[in-house]
Amino acid sequence: MTQRVAILISGGGSNMVALVDSMTGDHPARPCLVLSNDPNAGGLEKAAARGVPVAVVDHRPFAGDRAGFEATLQRELEKVGAEIVCLAGFMRILTPAFVANWQGRMLNIHPSLLPKYPGLDTHARALTAGDPEAGCTVHEVTAELDAGPILGQARVPVLPGDTPDMLAARVLTQEHILYPAVLRRFAAGDRRPVFLP
Ligand code: GAR
């Protein structure tokens, strides 16, 4: 049985594209929805061009009503029968109640070697700390931000003269390899972590 995967984005959606493009052939999952909280997210067009249904739940009309925003998200996910949710550059914090609905079925990619640097500005923080390497992590989403069980990590070197943008670009190329590799394994029911390279 193929698993139905919904991908939540807020921006350009390059990780979403990597995930969608990976779900072909004998892959145990297929994309059923790409949803953005930002109507202007560039990823929406890329998903539509790939024939994936898209939806927008704009968070702005829900200011001060997180429960209402998440109830609408939940309805969209249920409408398409999503079984796995992949957060891919989805920049809204989700409440423990919403996360509980998807316990063990929701993944996130984060641009650091967790448990280092949860939250924002990960690349600048790695450079300020003088870290010799950086990377990305795919993890199960739990109530605590960026702290769920690790399902995969990929590492890159920090090079002399790196700026946060240069490091981000190097990490992003690895995100595009790691996230599909983890999803393939996860959708097949195998939660052993993937470590790259
Ligand atoms: C990616 O680098 C992802 O790891 C990061 O946002 C970027 C989205 O790029 N996610 C977070 O920072 C989550 N806290 P994309 O839209 O091109 O996939």
Side-chain angles (χ1 to χ4, degrees):
M1 273 284 280
T2 55
Q3 303 275 309
R4 297 174 63 78
V5 176
I7 304 170
L8 272 49
I9 64 169
S10 298
S14 69
N15 277 290
M16 174 278 295
V17 166
L19 290 173
V20 166
D21 288 352
S22 74
M23 285 186 260
T24 60
D26 67 352
H27 196 290
R30 290 292 182 271
C32 65
L33 180 70
V34 169
L35 184 150
S36 174
N37 64 296
D38 179 350
N40 297 316
L44 288 168
E45 266 181 31
K46 296 174 196 163
R50 285 166 168 76
V52 181
V54 295
V56 174
V57 181
D58 190 341
H59 64 278
R60 289 167 300 186
F62 292 98
D65 177 18
R66 206 175 272 265
F69 171 68
E70 291 184 345
T72 309
L73 267 188
Q74 182 68 20
R75 267 199 302 280
E76 293 293 330
L77 294 171
E78 283 173 3
K79 247 198 282 185
V80 295
E83 294 163 298
I84 295 174
V85 175
C86 288
L87 307 182
F90 184 68
M91 302 308 272
R92 307 300 300 170
I93 289 177
L94 296 165
T95 67
F98 182 84
V99 170
N101 290 336
W102 293 95
Q103 173 124 30
R105 301 187 293 151
M106 182 155 63
L107 314 185
N108 179 45
I109 187 152
H110 182 75
S112 79
L113 294 171
L114 291 171
K116 277 191 163 183
Y117 316 129
L120 299 176
D121 300 323
T122 53
H123 305 298
R125 289 155 72 196
L127 291 175
T128 300
D131 291 354
E133 62 176 6
C136 51
T137 303
V138 177
H139 63 94
E140 274 182 47
V141 178
T142 57
E144 194 185 340
L145 182 70
D146 298 331
I150 288 175
L151 295 168
Q153 279 187 325
R155 316 177 97 80
V156 302
V158 174
L159 300 179
D162 265 353
T163 63
D165 283 352
M166 289 160 71
L167 185 55
R170 193 174 309 122
V171 170
L172 191 62
T173 61
Q174 292 306 301
E175 295 185 36
H176 298 160
I177 299 169
L178 180 69
Y179 211 172
V182 170
L183 177 62
R184 176 181 274 269
R185 192 176 263 204
F186 185 86
D190 181 352
R191 292 175 188 212
R192 284 175 303 154
V194 175
F195 291 108
L196 302 176

